[in-house]
Amino acid sequence: MRWSDYMRLGWDQLKRRVVVTALCIMGIAIGSASIVVALSFGESINHYSRMQMSYYLKSDEITVRSGHGGSESDSGDPNAAKPYELTKAKIDLIRTFPNVKALGTYQTLNNFQFQVDNKRGYINSLYATELETLPDFGYELHQGGPSEQENTIILSYGATMGLFDQQMRQARQIQSPGGNDSPQAAKRLEDQMYIAYPMYQKQIILTPQIYKPNLGMEESGTPFPLRVVGILKKPEGVPDDVVMNQKTAFVSPALGQKLLDAIEQKNGKSSAGSAAKSTSSGTFNEVKIKVDDSSNVKELEQWIKKLKLSVETNLFREERMQSELVIIRLIFGGVGVFILFVASISIIVAMTMSTYQRRRQIGIMKVLGANLRQIRNMFMVESALLGLLGGMTGILLSYWVIWGINIAVMKLAPARPGAQQEILFISPWILPIGLFFAIMTGVLSGIYPAVKASRTDALTAIKRD
């Protein structure tokens, strides 16, 4: 017998037992769909988690600071802390390490205010670094780029949002408690805050702010006129309210030193002096390293630790996220396997009943010359067809389930302005896995009925019927 004959005989038998066939197909379909949905959950969560990780916590970056140990206060020796300092010589040595894609020195300064066109804005964190290394660290520029001119600054997209002027201040006063505010007015004010102000190639007046106990924030009194030579690209898929609060800026190390000196002069080195003390030059307090691949981070981390430096990475967060995703996949996958197991029992019962009902047909086939292998193949192909039909139905069912979940999510939790709606999706590689489990369930469930059918005595079966 040819395989086409097995397929035709199996299909005829499935059509004769419509109710039993439908029940078996639905059991396999539910189990197969559960596996597909489980893998889709894991894949979707993994996709969006990696997007968030790549933006907030980059797993292919290493932050290096001065090491902890040998402090002067513990030993009394002023030279005890020198082996643990982050020096320029160590930085030059790190540049020669393998797998180092880019390296940049960073001096972090906080709390600045700027004015532009009678508008007032704020910068929460200002980083003094080599501006030409920004693209290497994944910062995409929306406008402009690094400049060799002095007194230039690159702003994040959030720093151009939510600028205050007299009109905005009056609108805020109206929205204050006790005012005649309305939802429409509040919505208009919120929309205005999310509009980015055009600041490219404009001059801003940057003023450091210093926190004074019992006095709050106070301006340093040293304004710095700066030219905006670049605006970073707005992050994709991030809500506008989150982007607006990410008010950062980048300046050259030389300009960062001037800002640091102004803060120290006003504050008596009480806040920024400690940060400058941690380095030999005072122009940077940490180094960020871009690794060519996240799989090489651990090896490079061990090399840097040998220089008695403090190393910080985000690998442990990624590993913890992956372990949580594995648990979610195991739970959903276990439910799908259990449903497939129940479906396999129904197939075994249905095929065994079919064997009993078709004893006369089996006996006649044996008398006509059919051997044991042909009888077994006939039942195995019939079971495989059940699994194939169940798997295809399960794929359609999984798409309906994912579609229903997405509709419910979009209605119950609409996306915030500017945010990408996080919806579930089914990757193409998941479909063959669901179909494979469904077919294997049918094949394995058909082994016992096939063996039992092949052992049927031909003369006894014909005589009884």
Side-chain angles (χ1 to χ4, degrees):
M1 295 178 65
R2 294 173 298 181
W3 285 105
S4 59
D5 298 327
Y6 291 129
M7 297 286 288
R8 180 174 52 81
L9 289 174
W11 180 249
D12 290 339
Q13 290 299 323
L14 294 180
K15 289 193 297 183
R16 289 179 183 177
R17 297 176 285 112
V18 177
V19 177
V20 176
T21 299
L23 292 176
C24 293
I25 289 176
M26 286 307 301
I28 296 177
I30 294 174
S32 176
S34 300
I35 294 177
V36 172
V37 171
L39 294 176
S40 300
F41 260 94
E43 182 71 11
S44 302
I45 295 174
N46 185 38
H47 172 72
Y48 291 114
S49 298
R50 283 187 176 277
M51 287 180 58
Q52 298 295 326
M53 284 281 292
S54 63
Y55 181 72
Y56 295 104
L57 303 172
K58 300 179 180 180
S59 60
D60 59 348
E61 289 186 6
I62 301 177
T63 302
V64 183
R65 301 184 181 90
S66 296
H68 305 290
S71 62
E72 180 181 351
S73 59
D74 295 338
S75 61
D77 184 5
N79 297 322
K82 285 188 176 180
Y84 299 89
E85 288 184 356
L86 179 60
T87 61
K88 190 175 185 303
K90 290 183 179 180
I91 294 175
D92 293 336
L93 180 60
I94 294 174
R95 292 182 192 272
T96 63
F97 286 172
N99 305 317
V100 175
K101 183 179 178 181
L103 185 147
T105 60
Y106 279 77
Q107 173 73 28
T108 304
L109 304 173
N110 299 320
N111 301 322
F112 288 84
Q113 179 179 281
F114 65 86
Q115 290 184 350
V116 55
D117 298 341
N118 296 323
K119 294 180 180 291
R120 187 183 299 270
Y122 297 91
I123 296 175
N124 298 327
S125 298
L126 185 143
Y127 302 102
T129 183
E130 297 84 359
L131 299 180
E132 64 273 7
T133 64
L134 292 181
D136 296 329
F137 284 89
Y139 293 102
E140 298 183 42
L141 286 159
H142 173 63
Q143 289 177 304
S147 174
E148 296 181 356
Q149 299 178 358
E150 292 292 333
N151 298 333
T152 59
I153 188 171
I154 295 178
L155 299 177
S156 67
Y157 195 89
T160 66
M161 301 170 66
L163 302 187
F164 285 91
D165 55 10
Q166 188 64 27
Q167 181 181 2
M168 185 73 69
R169 192 173 291 108
Q170 292 176 355
R172 271 292 180 91
Q173 292 175 356
I174 296 176
Q175 297 299 322
S176 61
N180 298 323
D181 54 343
S182 65
Q184 294 79 7
K187 185 67 170 60
R188 286 196 300 269
L189 177 61
E190 182 180 358
D191 293 340
Q192 291 179 7
M193 297 289 289
Y194 292 156
I195 298 176
Y197 187 74
M199 297 177 60
Y200 178 58
Q201 290 296 343
K202 288 189 176 182
Q203 186 180 54
I204 66 173
I205 305 299
L206 185 70
T207 307
Q209 290 186 308
I210 301 173
Y211 177 77
K212 293 284 188 179
N214 302 324
L215 295 177
M217 300 302 297
E218 179 181 298
E219 294 186 6
S220 67
T222 307
F224 289 84
L226 304 178
R227 177 73 59 181
V228 179
V229 296
I231 304 291
L232 295 183
K233 186 178 179 181
K234 181 181 179 182
E236 296 182 0
V238 181
D240 288 343
D241 56 340
V242 176
V243 175
M244 185 176 64
N245 291 323
Q246 294 173 349
K247 299 181 180 296
T248 59
F250 299 87
V251 297
S252 64
L255 180 56
Q257 185 63 47
K258 294 179 182 178
L259 294 171
L260 182 62
D261 293 339
I263 295 175
E264 291 178 348
Q265 184 178 3
K266 181 69 177 180
N267 209 32
K269 294 188 178 183
S270 61
S271 62
S274 59
K277 246 169 143 187
S278 64
T279 66
S280 58
S281 63
T283 57
F284 55 87
N285 52 18
E286 66 181 21
V287 169
K288 290 187 178 181
I289 302 171
K290 191 74 170 180
V291 187
D292 55 1
D293 191 87
S294 58
S295 60
N296 298 320
V297 169
K298 285 188 176 180
E299 180 183 359
L300 186 58
E301 180 182 359
Q302 296 302 320
W303 281 91
I304 298 174
K305 283 183 177 179
K306 292 181 180 179
L307 300 177
K308 297 183 179 181
L309 299 175
S310 175
V311 181
E312 180 182 341
T313 66
N314 295 310
L315 280 180
F316 73 96
R317 293 187 176 90
E318 184 178 6
E319 293 173 354
R320 184 176 63 181
M321 181 191 69
Q322 292 296 336
S323 62
E324 293 174 353
L325 291 177
V326 169
I327 295 175
I328 294 175
R329 287 176 176 174
L330 287 176
I331 293 174
F332 282 94
V335 172
V337 170
F338 175 76
I339 296 175
L340 285 177
F341 174 74
V342 175
S344 66
I345 295 176
S346 64
I347 294 177
I348 293 174
V349 173
M351 296 301 296
T352 303
M353 291 177 58
S354 176
T355 302
Y356 180 80
Q357 295 171 353
R358 295 158 62 186
R359 287 180 305 170
R360 181 178 178 83
Q361 177 188 357
I362 296 171
I364 294 174
M365 291 179 65
K366 282 191 171 184
V367 170
L368 294 176
N371 54 34
L372 299 180
R373 181 177 61 84
Q374 292 174 333
I375 300 296
R376 284 197 299 268
N377 288 344
M378 182 177 65
F379 280 84
M380 291 291 291
V381 169
E382 187 175 335
S383 301
L385 282 175
L386 273 176
L388 178 62
L389 294 175
M392 296 174 65
T393 307
I395 289 175
L396 294 177
L397 181 61
S398 63
Y399 273 104
W400 291 337
V401 171
I402 295 295
W403 175 76
I405 293 175
N406 288 334
I407 293 296
V409 169
M410 286 187 287
K411 287 187 176 180
L412 297 177
R416 289 182 288 178
Q420 178 183 356
Q421 184 69 56
E422 297 184 358
I423 59 175
L424 301 177
F425 59 90
I426 300 178
S427 297
W429 65 268
I430 298 178
L431 302 181
I433 294 178
L435 194 62
F436 170 78
F437 273 96
I439 294 176
M440 287 303 298
T441 300
V443 172
L444 295 177
S445 302
I447 292 177
Y448 172 74
V451 172
K452 186 175 181 181
S454 64
R455 293 177 179 177
T456 301
D457 182 71
L459 296 178
T460 304
I462 295 174
K463 184 178 179 181
R464 285 183 180 178
D465 293 341

